Amino acid sequence: MKNDLSLLRRGGRPGLLSLIWVITGIAIGLSHPLPGAEGPEKASKTRIGLYNSRAVALAYGRSEMFRTAASKLRAEGKQAKAEGDEKRLAELTKRGTGQQDRIHRQVFGDAPIDDILDSIKDSLAAIQKKASVQKLASKDPRDPSVEVVDITALLVEHFKPTAETLKMIEDIKKQPPLSPD
């Protein structure tokens, strides 16, 4: 019986052995892309920077940036009171109360931290670049086409937290957020 390879060389019909060789070659070629080539699933993944909004809010709420803004608001309130400007004092008091309420909802609840991120918008591009992420999110998108990277520490670091603040952040991460009520 002549083997299949000799038949192929002479222009004969391929047999079962030849077919197996062809299928094996295709399978090997498909399972081993060329060096440097990425599969479509790898090339299309978007990297999302996921952060714990409560941790970021706590770092911000205990930061020098927050204390400076709060001090400025108190100073404006004192000035309005000294000038007898009741309308301005009421506006500033309302703003201060709202700010305190918002930071509490952000730290202990699930309130968005857009205002905090807006306060560091000039640094966000550098943070995203450092983490090699295209977008930021506080909730996992649960999308297989997305690669999630935790960037909480990079955002927290921006506010220069003390050791005490870092401990508080670790503690708060262990607790579920409170309901909005």
Side-chain angles (χ1 to χ4, degrees):
M1 184 169 163
K2 296 179 181 183
N3 74 31
D4 290 339
L5 291 176
S6 66
L7 280 174
L8 279 177
R9 279 191 288 261
R10 287 183 287 160
R13 290 183 52 171
L16 182 60
L17 184 60
S18 296
L19 184 59
I20 291 172
W21 278 105
V22 169
I23 291 172
T24 303
I26 291 171
I28 291 171
L30 291 175
S31 66
H32 293 87
L34 295 173
E38 292 185 16
E41 70 285 342
K42 189 148 185 142
S44 66
K45 284 208 174 196
T46 300
R47 287 176 52 98
I48 300 287
L50 188 68
Y51 60 89
N52 181 312
S53 62
R54 297 169 65 219
V56 176
L58 182 56
Y60 171 72
R62 293 181 51 86
S63 71
E64 187 61 35
M65 180 187 288
F66 181 80
R67 283 192 296 275
T68 300
S71 293
K72 181 180 177 190
L73 190 62
R74 280 192 298 277
E76 288 179 38
K78 283 182 182 180
Q79 182 179 359
K81 186 175 183 178
E83 294 172 355
D85 189 346
E86 295 298 321
K87 184 179 176 187
R88 176 86 172 127
L89 180 59
E91 288 172 9
L92 293 167
T93 300
K94 184 177 178 181
R95 199 164 87 199
T97 302
Q99 184 181 40
Q100 191 65 33
D101 180 57
R102 183 175 52 253
I103 195 75
H104 279 139
R105 287 185 287 112
Q106 291 168 329
V107 172
F108 299 108
D110 243 353
I113 63 165
D114 297 344
D115 60 315
I116 296 171
L117 295 177
D118 191 50
S119 74
I120 62 168
K121 65 182 170 218
D122 294 340
S123 302
L124 286 179
I127 291 170
Q128 285 179 252
K129 185 176 181 179
K130 186 173 184 180
S132 299
V133 298
Q134 288 80 32
K135 298 179 183 177
L136 301 179
S138 62
K139 305 279 188 247
D140 189 339
R142 305 223 185 273
D143 179 347
S145 69
V146 170
E147 180 182 353
V148 176
V149 179
D150 187 352
I151 63 160
T152 303
L154 289 173
L155 291 170
V156 165
E157 180 183 290
H158 182 80
F159 298 106
K160 299 176 179 74
T162 63
E164 181 181 11
T165 299
L166 291 173
K167 168 85 171 85
M168 292 170 74
I169 288 170
E170 289 308 310
D171 290 343
I172 204 164
K173 284 180 177 180
K174 297 173 188 172
Q175 303 300 321
L178 300 176
S179 67
D181 300 332

